[in-house]
Amino acid sequence: MTTTKQKLKQLVEARRGVLVPGAFNALSAKVVEDLGFEAIYVTGAGVTNMWFGLPDQGFMGLAEIADHTARIRDAVDVPLIVDADTGFGNALNTYHTVRTLERAGADCIQLEDQVAPKRCGHFSGKDVISTEEAVSKIKAAVDARRDPDFLVMARTDAAATHGCEAAVERAQAFAEAGADILFVEAVTREEEVRALPQRLSKPQLMNMVIGGRTPIFNARQLGELGYGIVLYANAALQGAVAGMQKTLAVLRDTQEVQESSGLVATFAERQRLVGKPQWDALEKRYT
């Protein structure tokens, strides 16, 4: 039987640009799975925005992302890539982070090379740690995993501070340290997006941030270029915010919202997504 970790490895190594949306809680993860997506990204930015009402600037800790990962793992059966920010400290902290998130149900963790407190890869004011320190954290992550099929994704934010060439060099060093997937964040030119799969041998993720600094490519184009994963980390979050704003504006202005308005999921659909029929069946079984 293929495990979720093995399934994720197969998806990544196929290099067909598999679309991976982000989820910020268990219900959003169930929506992603229900729509047929093959993997889910547990987004640190989404957890920070939706649970704390704060920007993605290092406010989330290991306990929060581990708790969300465990809840999402219980809710869905597809592979989970989990945003572990900077590993929440040094190499030893990173080792502990991997152990914690693997136990919580992650199939892959993403680690980045920013100075703490980190910030969204498409914000200004980023800085990165030394290549040597970043490599030590990747090595710690690789050593910490219990399951050899557990994947380590290494992200570099060096393109913004040191240029794309330096970012490629860092990514190569991360590959040599044992990273399974590479992620060069926030490249700003189309030619850089097109060149990365030819310059780095390990499978790569390309992050499509709606409104961000990287030009948007169709996922099929990115698959043809050789990317393993095309990430839309916060498309669901941005869509949810827009939907809430639109629905609540109608409620404010008209003093009512009908199920037939098309603004909201139906009552029945809401119950289907959270599995009420299955729970009803269980209730009958045990009564």
Side-chain angles (χ1 to χ4, degrees):
M1 182 176 178
T2 303
T3 67
T4 50
K5 293 177 179 63
Q6 291 167 340
K7 176 63 174 175
L8 182 60
K9 183 178 288 189
Q10 291 168 5
L11 290 173
V12 170
E13 291 180 349
R15 306 194 193 205
R16 57 177 172 84
V18 62
L19 265 171
V20 178
F24 48 85
N25 60 17
L27 181 57
S28 62
K30 288 177 79 71
V31 172
V32 172
E33 181 184 50
D34 187 64
L35 288 170
F37 290 97
E38 298 173 271
I40 292 171
Y41 179 83
V42 183
T43 160
V47 169
T48 303
N49 293 168
M50 285 299 212
W51 284 85
F52 306 150
L54 292 172
D56 184 20
Q57 291 182 216
F59 295 109
M60 179 189 75
L62 174 58
E64 287 89 9
I65 196 66
D67 181 59
H68 280 76
T69 298
R71 292 175 187 275
I72 290 171
R73 177 75 288 160
D74 282 344
V76 300
D77 296 321
V78 297
L80 299 180
I81 302 167
V82 179
D83 182 0
D85 282 354
T86 62
F88 305 103
N90 62 17
L92 293 181
N93 299 117
T94 299
Y95 191 102
H96 172 61
T97 292
V98 170
R99 287 292 177 99
T100 300
L101 292 177
E102 185 176 1
R103 185 170 62 249
D107 299 300
C108 172
I109 64 155
Q110 174 202 300
L111 293 166
E112 60 198 64
D113 60 356
Q114 283 195 51
V115 170
K118 63 78 46 103
R119 58 185 63 211
C120 169
H122 293 251
F123 286 177
S124 299
K126 294 190 301 180
D127 200 1
V128 292
I129 60 178
S130 70
T131 301
E132 292 75 18
E133 183 180 359
V135 164
S136 74
K137 291 165 81 167
I138 298 302
K139 288 180 177 178
V142 170
D143 289 345
R145 57 186 172 192
R146 293 179 173 88
D147 187 331
D149 291 320
F150 182 89
L151 300 175
V152 174
M153 182 191 302
R155 163 178 152 178
T156 178
D157 285 73
T161 55
H162 294 70
C164 190
E165 193 64 31
V168 170
E169 291 176 4
R170 278 190 177 229
Q172 182 57 44
F174 297 163
E176 292 168 2
D180 303 289
I181 309 168
L182 303 176
F183 175 3
V184 179
E185 171 65 310
V187 294
T188 58
R189 297 187 298 174
E190 288 190 10
E191 55 266 34
E192 293 168 345
V193 175
R194 296 181 187 280
L196 284 171
Q198 281 70 52
R199 301 200 62 191
L200 295 163
S201 59
K202 287 287 183 79
Q204 291 179 66
L205 176 148
M206 178 49 63
N207 191 16
M208 295 284 96
V209 176
I210 302 167
R213 298 184 175 184
T214 302
I216 298 292
F217 281 68
N218 184 278
R220 291 188 184 88
Q221 290 177 285
L222 293 170
E224 290 168 0
L225 289 171
Y227 283 97
I229 298 172
V230 179
L231 176 63
Y232 273 81
N234 289 292
L237 183 153
Q238 288 172 262
V241 170
M244 287 189 288
Q245 289 173 328
K246 186 173 182 180
T247 300
L248 292 173
V250 169
L251 178 61
R252 179 196 63 201
D253 296 341
T254 70
Q255 302 293 292
E256 67 177 35
V257 173
Q258 298 282 353
E259 190 176 68
S260 59
S261 66
L263 292 169
V264 296
T266 66
F267 185 84
E269 175 63 4
R270 175 181 157 205
Q271 305 316 317
R272 184 189 71 81
L273 280 169
V274 297
K276 189 174 187 307
Q278 292 90 330
W279 286 102
D280 288 346
L282 276 176
E283 187 175 36
K284 290 180 179 178
R285 177 178 177 181
Y286 298 127
T287 299

